[in-house]
Amino acid sequence: MLESYLKEIQRYPLLSADEEVVLAKKIESGDGEAVNYLVQCNLRLVVSVAKKFCGSYKNSIMDLIQEGNLGLMSAASKFSYTFNTRFSTYAYPWILQYILRYIYGKTSAISLPHRKEELLRKVSNVQNEFFNVYNREPSIEELSKLLGVGEEEIREAKGFAYSVSSLDVEAAEDSSATVADLIPDSSFNPEKEFFKRLEEAAVMEVVMNLPEKERIVIYNRFNFDRLPHIPTLRELSVELGVSAETVRQLELRALKRMRKEECSIFSNLEYA
């Protein structure tokens, strides 16, 4: 795939400085074809930049080229002949920025917005350099002065910092237990399950003591069978051979009987 792509872009010529100026003037006048041609003639630049990162990171060379091409297009749309520089010099930082943004986004365990990721990286670099020189961590005020960024932004950036550790790492040097072994399992609570079963049994006992029609209404209206469809008053009226209003009255009477029996746990049921 890479070979065919390289053959494809080889057909676009390298531009001279004068040709770039002509294209830049057309771009400023809104010529979309000039933008496309400037991009096509510099696709080889993107490949050369992307190859520098292909070996160090587990990313497809074509993915890196694709991201770099986005940076190239951004540079082409903003290029001006008044910059007094070759387009490749102007486009290089754009291409590099898009490729690095893609790499950092892929390698980070937690994805952050690009600007925050970039600020966090700068803070980390300055902290390391400061520590190497002064053998201590810099204060927020010192970081702010060194980076030319407000102290509140520095605090916010440091709040984004995180570290990743494997759950299989040993919790202590003298123990075979791992970090995962020390994390409590909250998915099952025997005590909670026990009381839940007690509540269900108590509620069922109360319901079974109701008159037949009231029992049918409560059993269906509160979905004891956990069916995907809960019968409506009208559907129950057809089943019992009474009106929907009668079903509603049966339900109210049943609830009143249950309250009289002081079945307080019934109020914890989710009404359908």
Side-chain angles (χ1 to χ4, degrees):
M1 186 176 184
L2 177 61
E3 291 181 3
S4 60
Y5 177 77
L6 293 177
K7 288 180 181 179
E8 178 69 19
I9 64 177
Q10 287 291 337
R11 63 190 181 93
Y12 299 109
L14 296 176
L15 299 173
S16 65
D18 292 337
E19 288 174 323
E20 288 181 355
V21 169
V22 172
L23 287 173
K25 289 180 178 180
K26 291 182 178 180
I27 290 171
E28 288 191 353
S29 65
D31 190 338
E33 292 184 3
V35 175
N36 292 335
Y37 190 66
L38 183 60
V39 168
Q40 291 165 346
C41 292
N42 285 274
L43 291 173
R44 278 172 282 190
L45 173 62
V46 176
V47 175
S48 66
V49 177
K51 282 183 176 180
K52 296 178 182 179
F53 298 94
C54 189
S56 303
Y57 300 91
K58 296 180 181 179
N59 292 291
S60 163
I61 181 64
M62 291 307 300
D63 288 338
L64 296 177
I65 290 172
Q66 183 177 0
E67 293 299 318
N69 286 344
L70 294 176
L72 178 66
M73 289 187 285
S74 294
S77 63
K78 295 175 174 60
F79 184 60
S80 172
Y81 67 93
T82 60
F83 293 161
N84 293 322
T85 184
R86 293 298 301 270
F87 175 69
S88 58
T89 304
Y90 175 75
Y92 184 88
W94 284 89
I95 297 168
L96 186 63
Q97 177 188 357
Y98 273 72
I99 290 177
L100 288 176
R101 181 185 301 181
Y102 172 77
I103 291 173
Y104 292 140
K106 281 288 187 179
T107 55
S108 297
I110 302 174
S111 180
L112 293 175
H114 171 64
R115 292 185 183 276
K116 293 180 179 179
E117 186 82 47
E118 185 67 26
L119 179 57
L120 180 59
R121 210 160 32 246
K122 289 180 179 178
V123 169
S124 178
N125 291 337
V126 170
Q127 280 181 318
N128 293 334
E129 292 174 4
F130 190 95
F131 186 84
N132 291 334
V133 174
Y134 299 101
N135 199 30
R136 67 175 178 85
E137 292 290 337
S139 65
I140 296 294
E141 183 179 356
E142 288 169 330
L143 285 172
S144 177
K145 290 179 180 178
L146 290 170
L147 289 169
V149 178
E151 293 184 16
E152 189 59 36
E153 287 187 66
I154 298 295
R155 290 191 185 90
E156 186 180 8
K158 288 173 73 69
F160 298 143
Y162 61 88
S163 60
V164 179
S165 178
S166 172
L167 293 176
D168 296 324
V169 173
E170 291 185 358
E173 293 183 2
D174 58 346
S175 172
S176 61
T178 64
V179 174
D181 295 331
L182 302 181
I183 300 176
D185 182 9
S186 58
S187 61
F188 179 73
N189 187 325
E191 183 179 359
K192 185 177 179 180
E193 289 295 319
F194 173 75
F195 284 108
K196 181 181 177 182
R197 286 196 295 270
L198 282 182
E199 287 183 357
E200 290 176 349
V203 171
M204 183 59 71
E205 182 179 355
V206 173
V207 172
M208 295 307 293
N209 288 330
L210 293 171
E212 182 181 3
K213 287 188 177 181
E214 292 179 12
R215 181 173 67 249
I216 293 173
V217 170
I218 293 298
Y219 200 85
N220 283 276
R221 292 289 289 156
F222 287 90
N223 198 20
F224 277 59
D225 285 332
R226 295 180 174 84
L227 299 174
H229 172 69
I230 301 173
T232 63
L233 293 175
R234 185 172 298 278
E235 288 171 338
L236 282 174
S237 70
V238 174
E239 180 182 341
L240 296 174
V242 296
S243 66
E245 177 60 25
T246 301
V247 174
R248 191 178 72 84
Q249 292 297 329
L250 287 169
E251 182 179 349
L252 292 175
R253 282 201 299 271
L255 293 175
K256 188 174 180 180
R257 289 180 194 274
M258 298 178 76
R259 291 190 188 99
K260 283 183 178 180
E261 294 187 29
E262 297 182 353
C263 184
S264 59
I265 58 173
F266 184 79
S267 61
N268 295 325
L269 284 179
E270 182 180 357
Y271 183 70

